[in-house]
């Protein structure tokens, strides 16, 4: 039995991670908790344009930090609970130092 990792194994972890990410669960849970009728009502509650919710549902737009904070404000769910609802199981989110360095002219 060969126990050396193949090149497909690290990629399969990434696929598993993507398979568990589900922003629809987060949006549906918010609609239920806030007793809203549909995505349009959710967009009004979050004070975002309806296409934003649609783009998140179709995974063309990630749930950004400001939207996550707004969800927290209107639902009283913690940021950790909201992240858990969409399948984000990371303990910490780290931003590279590169993001904070000025661009060279």
């Amino acid at each position: 039995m060969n126990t050396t990792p193949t090149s497909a194994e690290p990629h399969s972890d990434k696929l598993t991670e993507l398979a568990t990410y589900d922003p629809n669960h987060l949006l549906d849970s918010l609609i239920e908790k806030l007793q809203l009728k549909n995505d349009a009502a959710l967009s009004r509650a979050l004070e975002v344009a309806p296409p934003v919710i649609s783009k998140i549902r179709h995974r063309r737009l990630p749930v950004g930090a400001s939207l996550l904070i707004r969800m927290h404000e209107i639902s009283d769910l913690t940021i950790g609970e909201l992240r858990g609802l969409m399948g984000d199981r990371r303990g910490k989110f780290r931003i590279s130092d590169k993001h904070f360095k000025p661009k060279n002219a």
Side-chain angles (χ1 to χ4, degrees):
M1 177 179 212
N2 187 359
T3 58
T4 54
T6 64
S7 61
E9 286 180 9
H11 185 65
S12 66
D13 289 341
K14 189 72 167 173
L15 290 176
T16 304
E17 180 182 317
L18 289 174
T20 60
Y21 171 72
D22 185 12
N24 291 323
H25 186 254
L26 171 64
L27 298 175
D28 292 338
S29 297
L30 283 173
I31 287 172
E32 184 180 328
K33 178 167 178 54
L34 299 173
Q35 299 177 351
L36 300 172
K37 199 171 186 178
N38 52 31
D39 285 352
L42 180 60
S43 72
R44 286 189 296 273
L46 293 171
E47 300 175 0
V48 297
V52 171
I53 302 299
S54 177
K55 287 177 183 178
I56 290 171
R57 278 214 186 268
H58 293 96
R59 298 181 187 198
R60 288 181 289 197
L61 183 70
V63 178
S66 60
L67 186 59
L68 200 60
I69 290 169
R70 183 70 185 131
M71 290 174 177
H72 161 69
E73 291 172 347
I74 67 168
S75 69
D76 290 329
L77 294 170
T78 66
I79 299 294
E81 290 169 333
L82 292 167
R83 288 176 54 207
L85 284 172
M86 72 176 153
D88 186 354
R89 306 280 187 251
R90 295 175 294 183
K92 292 182 179 181
F93 181 77
R94 295 188 176 102
I95 297 175
S96 167
D97 291 341
K98 179 178 139 182
H99 296 290
F100 298 109
K101 292 182 181 177
K103 293 182 180 179
N104 293 334

